[in-house]
Short mmCIF file of all heavy atoms in Angstrom, two decimals:
data_model
loop_
_atom_site.label_atom_id
_atom_site.label_comp_id
_atom_site.label_asym_id
_atom_site.label_seq_id
_atom_site.Cartn_x
_atom_site.Cartn_y
_atom_site.Cartn_z
N PRO A 92 121.36 -54.43 -136.42
CA PRO A 92 122.15 -55.03 -135.24
C PRO A 92 123.67 -54.57 -135.39
O PRO A 92 124.18 -54.29 -134.35
CB PRO A 92 122.09 -56.54 -135.47
CG PRO A 92 120.66 -56.69 -136.10
CD PRO A 92 120.50 -55.46 -136.92
N ARG A 155 122.22 -57.22 -127.71
CA ARG A 155 121.05 -56.53 -128.37
C ARG A 155 120.35 -55.65 -127.38
O ARG A 155 119.36 -54.90 -127.78
CB ARG A 155 120.19 -57.58 -128.95
CG ARG A 155 120.71 -58.40 -130.09
CD ARG A 155 119.81 -59.55 -130.57
NE ARG A 155 118.93 -59.02 -131.56
CZ ARG A 155 119.06 -59.35 -132.87
NH1 ARG A 155 120.07 -60.07 -133.36
NH2 ARG A 155 118.16 -58.91 -133.74
N ASN A 187 110.82 -57.04 -139.59
CA ASN A 187 111.91 -56.84 -140.52
C ASN A 187 111.26 -56.28 -141.85
O ASN A 187 110.28 -56.81 -142.48
CB ASN A 187 112.57 -58.23 -140.90
CG ASN A 187 113.26 -58.71 -139.71
OD1 ASN A 187 112.67 -58.96 -138.70
ND2 ASN A 187 114.55 -58.79 -139.85
N GLY A 198 124.58 -54.16 -142.78
CA GLY A 198 124.77 -55.54 -142.21
C GLY A 198 123.58 -56.47 -142.13
O GLY A 198 123.57 -57.50 -141.59
N ARG A 199 122.40 -55.85 -142.50
CA ARG A 199 121.17 -56.68 -142.40
C ARG A 199 121.08 -57.69 -143.48
O ARG A 199 121.76 -57.64 -144.48
CB ARG A 199 119.93 -55.67 -142.49
CG ARG A 199 119.67 -55.12 -141.08
CD ARG A 199 118.40 -54.45 -141.10
NE ARG A 199 118.56 -53.09 -141.38
CZ ARG A 199 117.99 -52.05 -140.93
NH1 ARG A 199 116.95 -52.25 -140.09
NH2 ARG A 199 118.16 -50.85 -141.32
N VAL A 200 120.27 -58.65 -143.12
CA VAL A 200 120.32 -59.87 -144.07
C VAL A 200 119.96 -59.54 -145.60
O VAL A 200 120.60 -60.00 -146.40
CB VAL A 200 119.50 -60.95 -143.44
CG1 VAL A 200 117.85 -60.65 -143.45
CG2 VAL A 200 119.69 -62.31 -144.12
N ASN A 203 122.82 -57.48 -147.14
CA ASN A 203 124.03 -58.23 -147.30
C ASN A 203 123.84 -59.24 -148.41
O ASN A 203 124.63 -59.36 -149.35
CB ASN A 203 124.30 -59.07 -146.04
CG ASN A 203 125.14 -58.27 -145.09
OD1 ASN A 203 125.35 -57.16 -145.22
ND2 ASN A 203 125.55 -58.93 -143.90
N THR A 215 126.47 -64.90 -147.00
CA THR A 215 127.03 -65.30 -145.56
C THR A 215 125.73 -65.65 -144.72
O THR A 215 125.10 -64.69 -144.25
CB THR A 215 127.74 -64.14 -144.90
OG1 THR A 215 126.92 -62.98 -144.99
CG2 THR A 215 129.10 -63.99 -145.62
N ILE A 216 125.46 -66.87 -144.46
CA ILE A 216 124.40 -67.28 -143.53
C ILE A 216 125.01 -67.45 -142.10
O ILE A 216 125.99 -68.10 -142.04
CB ILE A 216 123.80 -68.64 -144.01
CG1 ILE A 216 123.06 -68.37 -145.29
CG2 ILE A 216 122.97 -69.27 -142.87
CD1 ILE A 216 122.07 -69.50 -145.63
N TYR A 217 124.39 -66.80 -141.19
CA TYR A 217 124.90 -66.92 -139.83
C TYR A 217 124.17 -68.14 -139.13
O TYR A 217 122.91 -68.16 -139.19
CB TYR A 217 124.56 -65.70 -138.97
CG TYR A 217 125.26 -64.39 -139.63
CD1 TYR A 217 124.64 -63.16 -139.29
CD2 TYR A 217 126.31 -64.51 -140.40
CE1 TYR A 217 125.34 -61.97 -139.81
CE2 TYR A 217 126.82 -63.43 -141.00
CZ TYR A 217 126.46 -62.10 -140.67
OH TYR A 217 126.90 -61.01 -141.27
N GLN A 222 117.09 -70.24 -138.61
CA GLN A 222 116.31 -69.23 -137.92
C GLN A 222 115.33 -68.46 -138.93
O GLN A 222 115.59 -68.52 -140.18
CB GLN A 222 117.24 -68.17 -137.30
CG GLN A 222 118.02 -67.28 -138.10
CD GLN A 222 119.37 -67.83 -138.54
OE1 GLN A 222 119.44 -68.92 -138.83
NE2 GLN A 222 120.32 -66.97 -138.76
N ARG A 224 112.70 -65.22 -140.30
CA ARG A 224 112.31 -63.91 -140.20
C ARG A 224 111.08 -63.66 -141.16
O ARG A 224 110.92 -64.55 -142.10
CB ARG A 224 113.35 -62.86 -140.65
CG ARG A 224 114.61 -62.76 -139.74
CD ARG A 224 114.27 -62.23 -138.36
NE ARG A 224 115.41 -62.08 -137.49
CZ ARG A 224 115.95 -62.96 -136.72
NH1 ARG A 224 115.39 -64.15 -136.62
NH2 ARG A 224 117.01 -62.73 -135.92
N ILE A 258 116.28 -68.25 -143.01
CA ILE A 258 117.35 -67.46 -143.66
C ILE A 258 117.89 -68.25 -144.83
O ILE A 258 118.21 -67.56 -145.79
CB ILE A 258 118.37 -67.05 -142.55
CG1 ILE A 258 117.68 -66.08 -141.54
CG2 ILE A 258 119.58 -66.38 -143.19
CD1 ILE A 258 117.01 -64.91 -142.05
N ASP A 284 120.76 -64.05 -131.08
CA ASP A 284 120.04 -63.86 -132.47
C ASP A 284 118.67 -64.67 -132.28
O ASP A 284 118.69 -65.82 -131.95
CB ASP A 284 120.86 -64.47 -133.51
CG ASP A 284 120.51 -64.11 -134.91
OD1 ASP A 284 119.49 -64.51 -135.46
OD2 ASP A 284 121.11 -63.19 -135.46
N ARG A 288 110.71 -65.32 -135.89
CA ARG A 288 110.07 -64.03 -135.81
C ARG A 288 108.93 -64.03 -136.82
O ARG A 288 109.23 -64.14 -138.02
CB ARG A 288 110.94 -62.91 -135.95
CG ARG A 288 110.43 -61.64 -135.43
CD ARG A 288 111.36 -60.44 -135.73
NE ARG A 288 112.42 -60.37 -134.72
CZ ARG A 288 113.58 -59.70 -134.96
NH1 ARG A 288 113.86 -59.33 -136.18
NH2 ARG A 288 114.43 -59.54 -134.01
N1 UDP B 41 121.84 -62.84 -141.08
C1 UDP B 41 122.57 -63.77 -141.90
N2 UDP B 41 123.53 -63.20 -142.75
C2 UDP B 41 123.83 -61.97 -142.78
C3 UDP B 41 123.04 -61.05 -142.11
C4 UDP B 41 122.14 -61.49 -141.17
O1 UDP B 41 122.40 -65.00 -141.71
O2 UDP B 41 124.68 -61.62 -143.59
C5 UDP B 41 120.77 -63.40 -140.20
C6 UDP B 41 120.89 -62.90 -138.76
O3 UDP B 41 121.80 -63.72 -138.04
C7 UDP B 41 119.42 -63.01 -138.30
C8 UDP B 41 118.58 -62.70 -139.62
O4 UDP B 41 119.59 -62.95 -140.72
O5 UDP B 41 119.06 -64.36 -137.97
C9 UDP B 41 118.23 -61.26 -139.70
O6 UDP B 41 119.19 -60.37 -139.41
P1 UDP B 41 119.13 -58.84 -139.51
O7 UDP B 41 120.51 -58.32 -139.16
O8 UDP B 41 118.63 -58.53 -140.92
O9 UDP B 41 117.99 -58.39 -138.55
P2 UDP B 41 117.32 -58.92 -137.20
O10 UDP B 41 116.07 -59.52 -137.55
O11 UDP B 41 118.33 -59.83 -136.52
O12 UDP B 41 117.29 -57.73 -136.32
#
Side-chain angles (χ1 to χ4, degrees):
R155 296 175 88 104
N187 294 64
R199 274 187 273 210
V200 66
N203 274 8
T215 53
I216 288 195
Y217 302 158
Q222 73 272 36
R224 293 295 186 271
I258 294 304
D284 199 280
R288 196 184 276 158

